[in-house]
Amino acid sequence: MSAEFMDFLKHNYAYVAIGEFKPGKFAEAERLFANAVSTYTHGFKGAYLLREEPDTDKGIALILWDNIEDMDSNRNETHEKILKDMAHLFISPPTTAFYQVSSEISGET
């Protein structure tokens, strides 16, 4: 099989965290999320932080990777410190899971 065809068959992975922050802490968590994501390099495909409306402290973090191993390889001292700084902002630990991206549909560019 050609490399192009194999790339077509390759699926990305999504790390998903769903949680709720203490009242008024979403902005601080958003800043820390951006700091953590800025440390990612190899295999990182993009990230989203979604906030439940209207203006709640509930959110979903979605981070896209080439594969699960890439997420682990991007962990470093700075990343771990940011996650530790973020932990006290949650009401309770977020629910986390990995998903294989089975379909990807883009809109107009």
Side-chain angles (χ1 to χ4, degrees):
M1 285 188 217
S2 73
E4 289 175 358
F5 183 71
M6 292 305 291
D7 285 345
F8 174 76
L9 293 177
K10 182 179 171 197
H11 294 282
N12 290 327
Y13 288 84
Y15 171 79
V16 179
I18 302 170
E20 183 173 2
F21 297 102
K22 294 176 183 173
K25 297 297 183 181
F26 196 94
E28 183 178 355
E30 184 175 18
R31 181 183 58 79
L32 290 169
F33 176 79
N35 289 345
V37 168
S38 73
T39 69
Y40 300 151
T41 56
H42 179 73
F44 173 66
K45 293 296 190 184
Y48 299 89
L49 181 60
L50 310 175
R51 185 175 192 173
E52 185 178 304
E53 286 295 324
D55 207 26
T56 70
D57 290 306
K58 297 176 183 177
I60 301 172
L62 175 70
I63 305 171
L64 301 171
W65 297 96
D66 276 336
N67 58 61
I68 294 171
E69 294 77 20
D70 287 335
M71 182 177 160
D72 291 334
S73 72
N74 277 276
R75 292 184 185 274
N76 58 47
E77 190 175 309
T78 302
H79 175 265
E80 294 302 318
K81 182 185 180 321
I82 293 168
L83 292 182
K84 185 177 178 183
D85 290 347
M86 189 183 285
H88 80 279
L89 301 176
F90 287 100
I91 287 177
S92 60
T95 302
T96 62
F98 280 100
Y99 295 86
Q100 182 181 41
V101 178
S102 59
S103 295
E104 187 173 342
I105 303 166
S106 298
E108 291 184 35
T109 55

